[in-house]
Amino acid sequence: MAFLSVHVLAFIFGLLGNIVSFLVFLAPVPTFVTIMKKKSSDGFQSIPYVVALSSSLLWLYYGFLKTNSIMIISISAIGIALEIAYLTIYVIYASRDAKILLLKLLVLFNVVGNGIMLVLTLLLLKGAQRVNAVGWICAAFNLAVFAAPLGIMRRVIRTKSVEFMPFTLSFFLTLCATMWFFYGFFVKDKFIALPNVLGFLFGIAQMTLYMLYNNSKKEMPMNRQQQQKQEDPRQCATVIDEPKLTEMKIVLDCSTGSLAGSKENNV
């Protein structure tokens, strides 16, 4: 009975993980609706979707190497299909420079990076060694992705503004990490469970920061540019610090790109 219970719990959390991950994968849909309406992808970043595609390909490979990994295979396949759809829409409406950058990123992450890993693990390793090697690569990739929000969290603390760290996204990423941690725990897969511990902790930290600084923006003193706008309303179109806004949005893009990339920067 205990044996059956563990398998049932693993199935439940794996199914919940698939559902939540699917919702996170769908988060960029409004962004691409906007791109299609504008008929231009200028001002939007392709990096999050390239990283998400690379991550999904890695986990799909890992899922095929393991036995009884239908939950990993299913969500990875869904992620690959959606990211390819997003990138296809992006490239249709992208400028020439953006298309070249996207091509370089795809070659770097999905041809060179994943290609070398695939060839080396197939030629040099067998059986459990191959599974463990790919598992560690997937775990390391996820750890790097989960650590990415440190940049936006640091900016939230410095600026006391949560404008570019939406609570809903942080909540769903935390929920996603929780589901996959328990799935990894019940199937005894450390490569799934361990990275999601960090994902859960960073998610809690982001939501805590959001609650701390959500209302602080109203209490912040005006900076020099805001004072200038108040003194001379005609200057409102020229004093906005666009480079800083863009940089903050790109940081958020990169921090969520492995799962969704749902907050795009429209410059």
Side-chain angles (χ1 to χ4, degrees):
M1 181 64 68
F3 179 77
L4 180 62
S5 299
V6 169
H7 278 71
V8 170
L9 288 171
F11 174 80
I12 291 172
F13 281 104
L15 181 61
L16 290 173
N18 269 254
I19 293 172
V20 177
S21 295
F22 178 65
L23 293 175
V24 174
F25 274 126
L26 288 179
V29 168
T31 292
F32 288 92
V33 170
T34 300
I35 288 175
M36 289 187 291
K37 286 182 178 179
K38 291 174 54 181
K39 299 186 183 304
S40 172
S41 59
D42 290 346
F44 295 90
Q45 299 295 315
S46 63
I47 296 176
Y49 312 102
V50 175
V51 173
L53 176 61
S54 181
S55 176
S56 295
L57 287 169
L58 278 173
W59 282 109
L60 183 65
Y61 180 39
Y62 178 71
F64 278 123
L65 291 178
K66 281 180 62 70
T67 56
N68 301 320
S69 299
I70 186 63
M71 294 298 179
I72 302 173
I73 293 173
S74 60
I75 193 58
S76 298
I78 290 171
I80 290 170
L82 288 173
E83 298 307 329
I84 289 176
Y86 295 150
L87 289 170
T88 300
I89 295 172
Y90 181 90
V91 77
I92 289 174
Y93 298 106
S95 64
R96 182 175 179 276
D97 290 342
K99 290 178 181 178
I100 293 174
L101 175 60
L102 175 57
L103 179 61
K104 290 179 179 179
L105 291 172
L106 287 172
V107 170
L108 176 63
F109 281 96
N110 298 295
V111 179
V112 177
N114 286 354
I116 290 176
M117 182 274 300
L118 180 65
V119 171
L120 291 180
T121 54
L122 287 175
L123 294 180
L124 302 180
L125 302 173
K126 294 181 179 180
Q129 287 183 329
R130 183 183 296 161
V131 175
N132 287 335
V134 177
W136 281 117
I137 292 171
C138 290
F141 194 96
N142 266 25
L143 286 173
V145 169
F146 282 136
L150 287 172
I152 190 63
M153 290 167 65
R154 185 168 59 249
R155 288 186 179 276
V156 169
I157 295 172
R158 190 179 68 187
T159 63
K160 295 181 173 55
S161 171
V162 295
E163 183 178 0
F164 300 103
M165 191 180 70
F167 181 85
T168 303
L169 182 59
S170 298
F171 172 77
F172 274 101
L173 292 178
T174 305
L175 186 61
C176 191
T178 303
M179 297 301 107
W180 285 114
F181 165 76
F182 281 110
Y183 172 78
F185 175 80
F186 286 118
V187 299
K188 295 181 172 58
D189 191 325
K190 60 178 178 288
F191 304 120
I192 297 175
L194 291 180
N196 283 291
V197 173
L198 187 62
F200 173 79
L201 294 176
F202 276 127
I204 293 297
Q206 288 182 59
M207 289 190 291
T208 302
L209 284 177
Y210 186 93
M211 289 184 286
L212 286 174
Y213 294 112
N214 185 35
N215 297 319
S216 64
K217 185 176 180 181
K218 299 176 182 178
E219 302 171 1
M220 289 175 61
M222 290 188 298
N223 58 30
R224 180 181 59 81
Q225 292 177 338
Q226 290 172 324
Q227 291 175 348
Q228 184 179 355
K229 285 197 295 182
Q230 189 178 67
E231 293 170 1
D232 186 357
R234 294 171 297 176
Q235 298 295 323
C236 63
T238 61
V239 298
I240 300 175
D241 195 347
E242 288 289 352
K244 289 186 178 179
L245 288 178
T246 304
E247 182 184 359
M248 291 176 72
K249 292 177 182 177
I250 291 175
V251 169
L252 181 57
D253 283 343
C254 296
S255 71
T256 61
S258 66
L259 291 175
S262 63
K263 285 289 288 185
E264 278 293 345
N265 56 309
N266 189 353
V267 181

